[in-house]
Amino acid sequence: AQRVTQPEKLLSVFKGAPVELKCNYSYSGSPELFWYVQYSRQRLQLLLRHISRESIKGFTADLNKGETSFHLKKPFAQEEDSAMYYCAPWNRDDKIIFGKGTRLHILP
Amino acid sequence: EPEVTQTPSHQVTQMGQEVILRCVPISNHLYFYWYRQILGQKVEFLVSFYNNEISEKSEIFDDQFSVERPDGSNFTLKIRSTKLEDSAMYFCASSELTGIRGSAQYFGPGTRLTVL
């Protein structure tokens, strides 16, 4: 069965400290991988996608096929990073399975 | 920048009533989706729609649910006979291409459905 695991429900990090939001997936085939973010009172929006190998707002995510992980990282947290983060693999069917999400709380 | 819009922002209905949630996807997008999020829980996929037909649906999307693209711009989700457990935030999304090619989904602001 397709499964996405985000083990931390809440992650509190001091401003300026490194951030790592964990995501593990269990999928057949090679899914495409995304991270979505939802800031307070805003809509869900794409943060980054593996296929683009991009860095958005200082965040990067490395796909580790051996560990089936796609952890989201940022070297120095900022207060505006406080939000809900969803890991979202997309397999060959036309649906995204969202993880349960991790609430990132940046402490001043 | 174009955005997905949804109406209404909040819908209150009595159990057993029919509701229609409306969405206007981004105009050049070809793939359309509905998701729901029960309060305090994760975002759950309901259905995807392409080329005027359902391409994928989840176990949640039973016979009480239907989707339609009645014209060139709207994409609707109908719940035929609402139940208390249908109370949730419903998100519409659209994408230019299918996600397996890395196409991002763009989400609407959501409709909060409250079933009394």
Side-chain angles (χ1 to χ4, degrees), chain B residues 1 11-13 16 24 49 92-93 97-98 114:
Chain B
E1 190 175 322
Q11 173 92 48
V12 181
T13 189
V24 179
F49 192 85
C92 172
L97 300 170
T98 182
T114 302

Side-chain angles (χ1 to χ4, degrees), chain A residues 51-87:
Chain A
I51 198 170
S52 305
R53 302 285 199 274
E54 56 203 345
S55 171
I56 304 290
K57 299 185 180 182
F59 284 97
T60 56
D62 290 322
L63 174 60
N64 185 324
K65 287 190 178 180
E67 294 179 1
T68 57
S69 68
F70 191 54
H71 303 328
L72 183 69
K73 297 178 185 178
K74 184 169 181 175
F76 307 106
Q78 297 170 285
E79 284 190 63
E80 54 265 32
D81 295 330
S82 291
M84 195 74 177
Y85 291 80
Y86 294 95
C87 179

